[in-house]
Structure formats: structure tokens, C-alpha cells
Amino acid sequence: MNTEADRVRRGFERIHGGAPEGVWAAPGRVNLIGEHTDYNDGFALPMALPQAALAAVRRRTDGLLRLHSAQGDGRVTELRVADLAPGSVPGWARYPAGVVWALRERGLPVGGADLHLDSTVPPGAGLSSSAALECVVAVAYEELYGLGLGRPELARVAQYAENAFAGVPCGVMDQMASVCCAQGSALHLDSRSLEVRQVPFDLAGHGLRLLVLDTRVAHDLADGAYAALRAGCERAAGLLGLPALRDLAEAGLAGALRGLPAGLVPLVRHVVTENARVERAVTRLAAGEPEALGPLLTEGHASLRDDYGTSCPETDLAVGAAVAAGALGARMTGGGFGGSVIALVRAGESARVTAAVADAFAQAGFRAPAALEAVPSAGARRVG
């Protein structure tokens, strides 16, 4: 038996008594390129991580939802599914509870359940720990209640839970990555149509590694900054007469910028050039040239730092130190305002790049970063 699934099953039996009906997993993600493009109907290129949220689940017939997390305070959060409403559930429990609410909002015949959750996705690191919690509940409920929803529909349900129930105005990329990624591939995502294409990403075969450097600066996308960026993009699209910024081609960027208020210019420039970077990255991967991603990563970070304003001193330092130590390229990943940096390195240089970033943080008086290796992994699935 899967050892992680076995651990979560035993946790369920200890907390809830008896056996669960199954154990499911949904991974966190890193986004290789294509940041803040999803809510602009654009393109992204995420990949799933080995780190995942696991859930042991058993249906209930009394309308109660009983939630327990191995990372929580030890208490079971007990809710009535009929009483679920936006703003009614605080803390981590709002993510799994929001999915049950979102399914019921669709008119689907779902009821209560006992859940025991255990996640290895670092929270606050920009690796989609909340999306992993949402998606693992979505896939478990889909199977247990026979809902017949496809993977993109499950991602939309999870996104709606985060937007309307948890109050975070995120796009759909995190949830699509968690449910749709395939092992050994990156996911080329069209956020408008939800069409996806698996793009082979054989790092090891090309003598490469992808490092994730967690700055330990926790981010909170519900604090208003993210919502302000999204609103600015929507305003710019409206002023340009476009459904979304995705509809502005890079060739028309200079002319479009001349007609916009100064405050919107950098937002539009980032989104349009970032979409173009995604397309270039997919072309390079399809040609079997993953090392060519390096300069695109560094270019993307400069755009996020200078135009979109979502970087911070720690992420800037991590990118600069990694590149100076020999990384092929590096950038912040995720919504920003903290979180993690990814660095593409040659296989023999992982330790040196990691040590250089740690030394730079120590000299700056920053908290020591954490490091892990990102390996393109499978999306949400039943594991026990």
C-alpha cells in the first residue's frame, strides 16, 4: 500500500473511528512561466509537485461535515452542510468546506462526510497549498457521490470555492494544475477555454534540476493587493475594448499602451509579454530544449518585479544569487508578495546554487530559505 495513504488512513481511523471509503491526493504546483495571466484569460505552464494534500474520506448521512487536519490544532471542525455560506468558516477549513458548498451551489446532490487531511505542501510558499486542499476534496466527492464531472469542471468548482467562499479572487491555473497535470510533463493551459496540452519536461534526461527556494516570506492573497491587480487588468481591458488582456497581441502592445492611464501601462505590459513568454517556453520544450527556459525565467521575474510589482526583497535576492551562482535562470513563482523562487540548474550545481542563496540570505539578515527539488508529478488521483 502507498505509505502516505496508509498513514492518512490510520489518522482517519484514530480521529473518526472505523475505516474511510478511500484516500485521495492532489498536488501542489510550481508555475514555470505565465504568472498573473490566468485571470486575464491567458496562458500558463505549470507542473505538479510530489508534495500533495491527502484526504481520507467517508460519507455521512446526517448532513454533517467533520474536518480534521494533521497540520491543525488537533480539533475536529464540525459543520452542517446546509448552513455553509461564504464567510462562515475561518482558517484552513474554509478551503475544503468551500468545495462542498460550491458543489451544492451547482445543485449537485452531495451531503456530509468525515475527512482527515494531511498535506506536505508548504503553506504560504506560493506552491498552491490551498488549491491542493480544495482539489483533493473535489476529486474525492466526485468519486464518492458519482457526480460525473470532468477534470476542468472540478477545477472550476475548486476555483469558485476559493473565490466566492474563501474570498480569494484567484484565477483557475492553480486548480487546473492540481487536477490535470501528468507525471513527467508541464501543463500548457489556455485559461479561457480550459484546453490543456501535456508538454514533456524531461529534466533529468537533459542533466537539469528545478530547485524551489522557499523564501519563508508567507504571502496572503486575500489581503487586497492581488484583488487590486486583477481589477486594474480588467479596467485596462475595458478601456481597450477587449474581453480580456489575452486578446492584445504583443505586436500591438506599444500602440495600446499609448492610450492607457500611466498606472495601468505596466500591468498590461507584463500580462502581454508574459503570455508571449509562455508560448516561447512551450516551443522550446517541444523542440527538446528545456535549458532554453532559463533566460525566459529571469526575464519573467524582471517583469513581475518592475512592471507588476509582486516581488519582494527576499525573492529578488534569491533570483540574483541563484543566477550569479550559475543557475540557467530563476524567477518568483506563484502570486507573489513572498513565497518561492524557482531556479533551473545543471544537475551538478544544485548544492552550490542552494548554498549561494542561503549565504546571501544570511548576509542580508533574512530568515534562512528552504529548498526542495521540483519533479514533474501526477495530478489529483485516488491513492488508497
Side-chain angles (χ1 to χ4, degrees), residues 26-40:
R29 65 95 190 96
V30 292
N31 191 22
L32 295 172
I33 199 75
E35 216 67 79
H36 291 277
T37 53
D38 56 350
Y39 55 79
N40 290 292

Side-chain angles (χ1 to χ4, degrees), residues 26 76 82 90 109 144 177 202 207 209 214 259 269 365:
V76 175
L144 289 174
D202 183 10
R209 298 288 185 271
D214 180 1
R269 184 166 52 224

